[in-house]
């Protein structure tokens, strides 16, 4: 068995150069029930995500199978990519298809439905697979009349011409799960002029096909009833306590409070789940999560529980090793995040509120900036100035990647929160942590005004 290196994911350019750390496993062939070989490869697709490519081959019966597997959940929206192929180089653009992705080539009125399995290929690979499937269909169905056989053969000939010329057609990938990818970017990471990408709201039928909606005839009333049922039994107990007070007492016991609310994505009924928890050596916080059973939209946030702190707080952590990456971290939406060594400064409100780890907050920042970088363009600069900005931005993202991948990281992470509602874990608590520096400070009048806080002296004066 061949094992991978410490960095398990390999990039697509490394695959082209032949650097492919493949894991080989013996496994049973489902066709002849003899021992075959499964190969697993972790691939990092630029500007997309990591995927697991698996391939099986049986030396006894010759059966082969390959697919792409990913750990990603169904996205909040579906995605559609469109690429106009104008040169042979476009045939080598990366294509990742989830089990729910369909393909279209409008020039030949060809539409390939979802195959039910993931694939990692190229534009040329898509054409080759479609042509091969059509040939197999013609050879395996002797009942096809001459007219339809001629039409299918004409379609195969057109696909072969596209592969030979490398131009003259559009490829459209549509995935209601939002987990497919077609490389429609240029070498600088900007959206190519012959490429297009858009996200869309799923229909209810799409949600049913994805398995995230089961009852096509569900009514708003039924959903509201099921959402409110866990709150209380809607009665008065023998001691005279109302249902509302029962819910309040259960919430005080750290149970989950469920509040019906409309989904901000599709407008159908969902529910907010609110849970109060205590972070040791910090304070109580509220974890708020929303899930929509109709469109799959999800959101989560963290809110402080209790009174407003009298002073602001600045927390500085000096990261010395990878163990520091696992420290718990609470970032409120009023906190400013700074990593001086990487030149990262995120103003209050960026990323919202988070209850995560040191590694998690850096990854969230990196992913958010990466998504922003993909579609940022400006008409205020010359093309060479835009290229320079793009290069500096990519270098900045590489710095964050180096921080995350380093085996011996050393940098400072600073949270500056004027409300004092942010936190970085001290594993030595209650003893002091030499790597952690906490500074409380008086808020300025400008800070209080921006936060909507009226000092007690002003209340007494008024």
């Amino acid at each position: 068995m061949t094992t991978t290196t410490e960095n398990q994911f390999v990039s697509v350019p490394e695959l082209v150069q032949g650097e492919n750390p493949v894991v080989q496993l013996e496994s049973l062939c489902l066709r002849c029930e003899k021992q075959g070989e499964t190969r697993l490869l972790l691939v990092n697709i630029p500007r997309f995500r990591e995927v697991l490519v698996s391939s099986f081959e049986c030396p006894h019966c010759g059966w082969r199978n390959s697919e792409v597997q990913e750990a990603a959940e169904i996205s909040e929206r579906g995605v559609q990519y469109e690429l106009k192929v104008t040169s042979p180089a476009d045939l080598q653009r990366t294509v990742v298809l989830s089990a729910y992705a369909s393909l279209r080539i409008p020039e030949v009125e060809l539409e390939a439905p979802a195959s039910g399995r993931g694939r990692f290929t190229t534009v040329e690979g898509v054409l080759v697979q479609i042509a091969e499937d059509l040939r197999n269909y013609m050879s395996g169905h002797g009942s096809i009349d001459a007219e339809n056989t001629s039409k299918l053969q004409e379609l195969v000939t057109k696909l072969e011409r596209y592969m030979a010329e490398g131009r003259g057609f559009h490829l459209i990938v549509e995935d209601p799960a939002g987990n497919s990818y077609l490389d429609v970017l240029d070498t600088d990471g900007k959206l190519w002029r012959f490429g297009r990408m858009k996200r869309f709201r799923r229909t209810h039928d799409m949600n049913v096909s994805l398995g995230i909606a089961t009852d096509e005839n569900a009514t708003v009333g039924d959903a509201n009833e099921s959402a409110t049922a866990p709150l209380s039994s809607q009665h008065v107990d023998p001691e005279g306590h109302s249902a509302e007070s029962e819910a309040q007492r259960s919430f005080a016991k750290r149970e989950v409070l469920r509040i019906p609310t409309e989904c901000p994505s599709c407008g159908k009924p969902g529910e907010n789940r609110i849970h109060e928890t205590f972070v040791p050596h910090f304070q109580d916080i509220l974890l708020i999560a929303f899930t929509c059973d109709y469109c799959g939209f999800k959101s989560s946030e963290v809110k402080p529980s209790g009174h407003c702190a009298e002073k602001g707080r600045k927390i500085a952590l000096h990261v010395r090793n990878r163990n520091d990456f696992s420290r718990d971290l609470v970032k409120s939406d009023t906190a400013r995040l700074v990593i001086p060594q990487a030149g990262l400064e995120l103003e209050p409100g960026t990323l919202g509120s988070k209850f995560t780890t040191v590694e998690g907050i850096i990854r969230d920042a990196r992913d958010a900036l990466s998504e922003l970088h993909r579609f940022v363009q400006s008409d205020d600069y010359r093309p060479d100035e835009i290229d320079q900005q793009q290069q500096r931005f990519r270098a900045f993202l590489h710095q964050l990647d180096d921080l995350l991948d380093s085996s011996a990281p050393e940098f400072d992470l600073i949270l500056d929160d004027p409300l004092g509602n942010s936190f970085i874990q001290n594993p030595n608590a209650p003893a002091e942590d030499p790597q952690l520096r906490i500074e409380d400070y008086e808020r300025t009048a400008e800070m209080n005004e921006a936060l909507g806080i009226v000092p007690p002296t002003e209340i007494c004066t008024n």
Side-chain angles (χ1 to χ4, degrees), residues 75-201:
S75 298
E76 297 173 3
R77 292 173 180 258
V79 65
Q80 183 187 83
Y81 294 92
E82 181 175 345
L83 172 68
K84 180 181 179 181
V85 179
T86 60
S87 70
D90 292 334
L91 295 176
Q92 305 308 315
R93 289 180 176 266
T94 302
V95 181
V96 180
L97 303 174
S98 80
Y100 306 102
S102 60
L103 297 169
R104 280 189 291 141
I105 302 178
E107 285 77 6
V108 292
E109 298 182 355
L110 173 67
E111 181 171 352
S115 64
R117 63 184 180 91
R119 284 177 285 170
F120 174 45
T121 181
T122 61
V123 174
E124 183 178 18
V126 169
L127 298 180
V128 170
Q129 185 64 53
I130 294 176
E132 183 178 347
D133 290 344
L134 290 174
R135 293 193 196 95
N136 292 337
Y137 181 79
M138 288 187 290
S139 61
H141 292 73
S143 59
I144 303 178
D145 56 48
E147 181 180 357
N148 287 327
T149 300
S150 176
K151 291 181 179 179
L152 290 176
Q153 185 58 52
E154 182 181 355
L155 178 56
V156 172
T157 302
K158 289 181 179 179
L159 294 177
E160 291 174 342
R161 188 178 76 246
Y162 291 153
M163 286 185 276
E165 297 177 355
R167 59 183 177 85
F169 68 97
H170 291 75
L171 178 63
I172 301 174
V173 176
E174 185 172 304
D175 182 6
N179 289 328
S180 294
Y181 173 76
L182 172 59
D183 183 7
V184 293
L185 304 177
D186 59 18
T187 55
D188 292 329
K190 296 182 292 187
L191 191 64
W192 194 43
R193 61 192 180 99
F194 293 122
R196 188 171 63 90
M197 176 265 199
K198 71 173 182 178
R199 295 197 176 273
F200 59 87
R201 290 185 178 180

Side-chain angles (χ1 to χ4, degrees), residues 2 4 14 57 87 105 122 126 173 187 229-230 315 322 341 352 356 375:
T2 305
T4 64
E14 290 173 336
E57 182 175 359
S87 70
I105 302 178
T122 61
V126 169
V173 176
T187 55
I315 309 173
R322 294 202 64 85
Q341 290 82 354
T356 178
F375 302 104

Side-chain angles (χ1 to χ4, degrees), residues 289-456:
F290 176 84
T291 303
C292 179
D293 294 332
Y294 292 92
C295 68
F297 174 80
K298 297 179 180 180
S299 67
S300 62
E301 58 181 323
V302 179
K303 296 293 184 183
S305 177
H307 67 282
C308 175
E310 296 181 359
K311 295 183 178 182
R313 173 165 289 188
K314 183 177 181 180
I315 309 173
L317 171 67
H318 183 64
V319 177
R320 291 181 177 174
N321 53 60
R322 294 202 64 85
N323 291 334
D324 294 328
F325 278 13
S326 60
R327 292 180 185 234
D328 289 336
L329 181 148
V330 177
K331 176 197 169 298
S332 78
D333 51 11
T334 58
R336 182 168 174 261
L337 172 66
V338 181
I339 301 180
Q341 290 82 354
L344 175 65
E345 294 186 14
L346 297 182
E347 294 300 318
T350 309
L351 298 180
S353 52
K354 296 280 185 178
F355 181 25
T356 178
T357 61
V358 170
E359 180 180 14
I361 197 67
I362 299 175
R363 290 197 181 278
D364 287 343
R366 197 262 181 237
D367 293 343
L369 292 171
S370 178
E371 287 292 322
L372 177 67
H373 169 245
R374 291 172 59 182
F375 302 104
V376 169
Q377 297 187 18
S378 175
D379 297 330
D380 298 332
Y381 299 94
R382 298 192 308 271
D384 60 329
E385 293 177 330
I386 295 177
D387 292 339
Q388 292 176 2
Q389 288 182 343
Q390 295 282 355
Q391 290 175 6
R392 287 196 295 268
F393 200 91
R394 286 197 298 272
F396 167 68
L397 293 179
H398 286 316
Q399 271 191 297
L400 293 181
D401 289 335
D402 291 340
L403 288 182
L404 291 167
D405 297 336
S406 174
S407 58
E410 186 162 359
F411 60 91
D412 296 309
L413 187 147
I414 302 170
L415 290 177
D416 188 349
D417 189 350
L419 283 181
N421 288 324
S422 296
F423 165 81
I424 299 178
Q425 179 189 10
N426 174 8
N428 303 324
E432 292 187 1
D433 185 350
Q435 295 176 236
L436 201 60
R437 188 175 72 255
I438 300 176
E439 175 188 348
D440 292 335
Y441 59 87
E442 296 287 345
R443 287 188 292 267
T444 64
E446 291 78 9
M447 289 180 179
N448 285 329
E449 182 178 358
L451 295 169
I453 299 174
V454 180

